[in-house]
Amino acid sequence: MLHNIKHGSNDIKSLVKVLMDFCKFIRFIYLQIIYFFIFVNMSGNIVKTMFNVEYCKATTDQDWLVRQFEAFHFDQPFLTEKFIPRPDVSIIFHFKDAPLILNEKKIQLEPFFAAPIIPKSLLLNFHGLMDTFVVICKPTVFSRIFGIDLSPMPRHSITLPHSIFHPAWDALSTLKTTSERIDYFIGFINKVQNTPYIPDAVDQLYDKILEKGTTTLLKDIMQDCCACKRTLERNFIKRTGVSPKTVMRIIRLDYLWSKIIDEGAIDYQELVFDGNYFDQAHFINDFKNIVGETPSFFFKRNLQLTKMFSGREITNM
């Protein structure tokens, strides 16, 4: 009799577990349907109440340091997508919930930090209520004016000097509009660098890679810089966190990604030629090393959403 009772109890536990698993499955399917209708069925348009991104290009009096300002607003349970490497450093201010990095283990990002150039993609989880202000900077200038060594380390964020950046974070948190935050940051950075910034050889190499990286070999770009190649490369790594070759690879990927978004088609022979790759295998291997997926698999994604997660402005929306 006891055996029968015990056996019946186990059956009930098994049934409860099956029902709980079924409920989790239904919830998962429900969320996927919601995301499908939001991101696919509505012609790729992002519902602003869910995930809203603002972009503002730097003006000529700001572009000695700043490339772009961005603002992220998110008010849903969660959304997970890839962050694709970009060739710059981001100063990031989170005023509410901060995203999680999900690659090796869950990493909770700080309220304010600098995001370095990374050689491989990350998986980000946006959740809760987000109000985030991002300043995209030239890494060679950022590291020089703040005296921060960006030498390669296994890290996804750089702790910023608390005495300098906490007052800025505190002041920015009280401002309501992106334009107000941009104005404040411009005033803040002009106090840090109160004389005209004079680019050095490392800055010039970085700018030349951004300008010519898709069409010119790295050795030819470095020959145009009036400095010892070995010293220049060593200082470049210290000021950017990666080698000139890595920045060049990211620049090429950025260019080809934008080209595919604009043209809506993939022609591998044309991409190999435009990206200055040796052959198709070179292109695919380079792409997979950075993105973590083959081009054919990656370009089946909702690329507009991926671009927003990665801080690239969407033009075809």
Side-chain angles (χ1 to χ4, degrees), residues 91-98 108-114 131-133 160 165-166 169:
I91 303 174
I92 300 176
F93 300 94
H94 292 303
F95 306 113
K96 293 182 181 177
D97 293 319
Q108 180 68 62
L109 293 170
E110 304 167 72
F112 60 90
F113 62 94
D131 176 17
T132 297
F133 179 62
L160 296 171
F165 282 92
H166 185 268
W169 176 88

Side-chain angles (χ1 to χ4, degrees), residues 146-163:
F146 288 110
I148 297 176
D149 187 344
L150 296 181
S151 295
M153 291 179 64
R155 57 185 175 181
H156 303 305
S157 64
I158 301 164
T159 301
L160 296 171
H162 191 273
S163 60

